[in-house]
Amino acid sequence: MRIEIDEISKQFGVTAALHPVSLAIPSGALVALLGPSGSGKTTLLRILGGLEFPTSGRVLFDGQDATGLTVQDRRAGFVFQSYALFRHMTVFDNIAYGLAARPRASRPPKAEITRRVTKLLELIQLPDIGSRFPSQLSGGQRQRVALARALAIEPRMLLLDEPFGALDAKVRKELRQGLRDIHDETGLTTVFVTHDQEEAMELADLVVVMSMGRIEQIGKPQDIRARPASAFVQSFISA
Amino acid sequence: MTDWLSPEEWRAVALSLRVSFWAVLASLPFGIFVAYALARWRFPGKQVLNGLVHLPLILPPVVTGYLLLLTFGRRGWAGQVLDEWFGIVFAFRWTGAALAAAVMAFPLMVRAIRLAIEAVDPRLEEAAGTLGAPRLWVLATVTLPLILPGIIAGVILAFAKAMGEFGATITFVSNIPGQTQTLPSAIYSFMQVPGGEAQAARLVAVAIAIAMAALLLSEWISRAVARRIAGP
C-alpha cells in the first residue's frame, strides 16, 4: 500500500514534536526513519499507526484520506519497542488475539485461526512454542512473536518501533535478515524507526533522516552516504 | 451452632455481612471506572474528583454520615428524587447502611485498583488496539485480567472497611436492631447497657474471626491469581 504524509505536524502542549513534514512511501517499500531521540521519528510512526493524531496535515493510504481513521480501522501491524506481548496469554493466544477480537460475523472459525497461527509460527521459525508464555522466551523470540502477532491480522502495512533496540549484536543481525525475508515474502509496505544508522543503511530501501521534528533528507542508503544533504546528516551518518 | 449467639446478635452479624457484601458489589463497577479515569485519562477537574473520592478517608465519619443524611435523607434532594422515581429509600434502612459503608470504603477500593492499573504498560492496550480490538474488548481481555490482583485486594480492603464502619452509619441510619444495627453498632449498644459485656465480647470474637477469615482468603486468592497471570 502506498503511504503519503502530507504536511503533518504534531504539537504536545507548547512543544512541537513535528514541524510540518511530507513524505511519500511507495507501495512495498522498506523504509527506515532514522534519527536521534527527540527527532520525531516515533511520533511520525505512531501517527501512521493511528496511536497519535496530527495537529495538522493529512495521511493518505493509496490516495485515500486516512487521517481520522481509528487505530482499530487502520489495519497497521505495529511492533512495539518492548514488544508489548500479553504476558497472561500463551504465544498462541498472543498471535491469535487480533483474529479472536473480531466481531462474530468476520471472525474466522477456530480451526482457521489455529491454521493461521501455526503458519505464522512456521514463518518466524519457531513452530513449537505456541503453548509457552512470553516470560519463557528469549528477547529475540519475543520480537519474532510480536512480529507474527502483527502479521496475523493481515495488515495493510507493517510499522516497527526500534524493533531491534533491546537485543544483543548477534541476535540483531539475525533478526534484521529475518525482517528482510518477511518483507520480501509478504510484500508489505514496511516502516521502521531506528537510531542506528548502520541498521538503517543495511536494511532499508529508503532512508528518511530526521532531526528536531524535521526531515533532513530522504534517499537511498548509497545516495545519502555519497551526498549528505546537510551538516547534520553528514555528522549523524559518520558517527 | 446458633445457641451461643442470641437471635439479636445473629441479626447484627448477618446484617453486617449483607450490608458489606452489597456495599462492595454495588460500588465495584464505579470503583473500577473511577480508578481507570484517574490512572489513564487527562480531563479538567481530575484533581477535584480525586479529592472527592478521598474525602471520606480524611473527614470525621460523623461528618460524612451527616452529609449523607442531608443528601440522601427523606428530605435530601437525592433522597427525594430516588424515592419518587425509583422507590429507593436509604434513610433508616439497611440500604442506607450499605450506602454509608460503600462511600467510606470507596477510597480504599479505588486506591488499590488505581495502583494496579498504573502498573499496566499502556502499550499493551495500544497493541491490542492496533490488532483491531475495540476498547471494551481490550478492557475485558487485557486490562482486567492484568489488574485482577489489584481488584481483589481492593474488594477485600473495602469489605473489611465496610464491616467495621461505625461513625457514618450510625449518623446516617441510626442504630435500629434488625434494620440498621450492624456488628459495630451492636457492640456499641451492648457496651452501653449494664451486664452487656458478655454479649459485646461474643460479637468482638465474631468480628475478629470474620476479619481473619477475610485476610486469609485474600492472601490465598491473590497468590492463586498471581500464579495464573505470571504463567507457569
Side-chain angles (χ1 to χ4, degrees):
Chain A
M1 192 187 60
R2 194 170 84 245
I3 302 171
E4 282 154 277
I5 292 158
D6 178 23
E7 294 288 303
I8 288 279
S9 75
K10 178 70 185 179
Q11 294 275 135
F12 289 111
V14 290
T15 49
L18 284 176
H19 298 286
V21 295
S22 294
L23 172 66
I25 299 172
S27 187
L30 179 50
V31 179
L33 301 180
L34 172 67
S37 60
S39 59
K41 56 192 193 305
T42 296
T43 304
L44 188 56
L45 191 80
R46 288 172 61 85
I47 287 173
L48 284 179
L51 293 168
E52 230 47 274
F53 289 89
T55 309
S56 68
R58 293 186 310 158
V59 180
L60 302 158
F61 294 158
D62 275 337
Q64 297 230 315
D65 194 338
T67 316
L69 221 54
T70 63
V71 62
Q72 285 88 0
D73 292 334
R74 296 257 168 157
R75 284 187 41 226
F78 205 107
V79 176
F80 289 78
Q81 187 173 5
S82 51
Y83 317 134
L85 294 176
F86 308 127
R87 67 168 196 271
H88 58 299
M89 297 179 198
T90 61
V91 167
F92 183 98
D93 288 337
N94 265 278
I95 298 175
Y97 186 86
L99 299 173
R102 285 189 191 166
R104 207 173 290 270
S106 57
R107 192 187 309 157
K110 261 213 168 81
E112 171 64 13
I113 292 181
T114 306
R115 199 187 62 79
R116 280 212 232 168
V117 173
T118 310
K119 231 180 108 191
L120 284 162
L121 283 168
E122 279 163 15
L123 181 73
I124 59 168
Q125 295 170 357
L126 295 168
D128 302 320
I129 62 159
S131 57
R132 290 205 219 158
F133 283 85
S135 59
Q136 299 168 297
L137 305 180
S138 70
Q141 289 173 327
R142 283 180 209 178
Q143 196 260 11
R144 283 189 273 173
V145 170
L147 192 57
R149 183 178 68 175
L151 289 170
I153 61 166
E154 297 178 311
R156 300 193 284 179
M157 69 200 118
L158 203 50
L159 308 173
L160 307 98
D161 187 8
E162 297 274 5
F164 313 108
L167 302 166
D168 60 61
K170 186 173 160 286
V171 182
R172 264 168 180 250
K173 284 248 156 68
E174 275 174 38
L175 289 180
R176 262 185 226 174
Q177 191 53 46
L179 179 60
R180 181 83 235 182
D181 292 345
I182 283 170
H183 170 262
D184 294 348
E185 205 162 313
T186 59
L188 283 170
T189 310
T190 303
V191 182
F192 70 100
V193 156
T194 182
H195 63 271
D196 180 340
Q197 56 92 13
E198 191 203 318
E199 190 168 283
M201 297 296 188
E202 193 189 300
L203 192 53
D205 311 323
L206 193 68
V207 175
V208 179
V209 188
M210 296 185 68
S211 164
M212 315 213 25
R214 289 192 173 83
I215 293 178
E216 293 278 331
Q217 189 171 5
I218 305 167
K220 292 188 178 131
Q222 62 269 29
D223 293 343
I224 290 181
R225 275 219 187 86
R227 287 177 295 278
S230 66
F232 171 81
V233 177
Q234 169 81 51
S235 71
F236 191 73
I237 61 166
S238 58
Chain B
M1 171 75 190
T2 51
D3 49 358
W4 58 279
L5 283 182
S6 71
E8 191 184 5
E9 290 159 4
W10 268 113
R11 270 206 303 275
V13 173
L15 181 73
S16 257
L17 287 170
R18 177 157 56 135
V19 160
S20 306
F21 176 80
W22 285 106
V24 171
L25 192 72
S27 58
L28 186 58
F30 298 100
I32 293 174
F33 179 79
V34 170
Y36 195 90
L38 289 175
R40 283 289 151 85
W41 296 341
R42 281 196 288 175
F43 53 93
K46 182 168 165 174
Q47 285 316 311
V48 177
L49 177 67
N50 193 31
L52 275 177
V53 166
H54 283 92
L55 214 50
L57 208 57
I58 306 146
L59 282 177
V62 178
V63 174
T64 306
Y66 182 64
L67 290 175
L68 284 171
L69 192 59
L70 284 184
T71 317
F72 291 99
R74 281 205 188 284
R75 265 167 289 169
W77 64 269
Q80 280 180 354
V81 168
L82 287 170
D83 189 8
E84 277 169 33
W85 291 25
F86 304 103
I88 300 172
V89 177
F90 287 113
F92 306 110
R93 302 265 177 97
W94 75 270
T95 46
L99 177 65
V103 168
M104 293 301 289
F106 201 61
L108 298 174
M109 178 189 276
V110 168
R111 205 171 178 76
I113 300 174
R114 177 184 177 172
L115 284 175
I117 294 173
E118 280 168 351
V120 173
D121 186 349
R123 270 167 297 193
L124 293 178
E125 290 158 342
E126 286 186 346
T130 65
L131 296 167
R135 293 182 74 147
L136 276 177
W137 183 267
V138 176
L139 187 71
T141 58
V142 175
T143 316
L144 286 180
L146 290 173
I147 65 168
L148 199 56
I151 293 179
I152 291 168
V155 162
I156 302 279
L157 265 177
F159 187 82
K161 173 77 191 169
M163 284 295 292
E165 218 301 304
F166 175 68
T169 309
I170 208 165
T171 312
F172 180 32
V173 292
S174 182
N175 185 1
I176 309 161
Q179 284 184 60
T180 63
Q181 190 176 71
T182 57
L183 188 54
S185 339
I187 293 173
Y188 175 76
S189 298
F190 289 136
M191 283 169 58
Q192 304 300 305
V193 289
E197 288 89 353
Q199 289 180 301
R202 282 201 293 272
L203 287 182
V204 166
V206 172
I208 292 172
I210 292 174
M212 280 304 286
L215 215 62
L216 291 174
L217 185 69
S218 79
E219 196 72 9
W220 181 72
I221 295 175
S222 31
R223 273 203 205 145
V225 169
R227 246 200 317 274
R228 199 177 62 80
I229 286 178

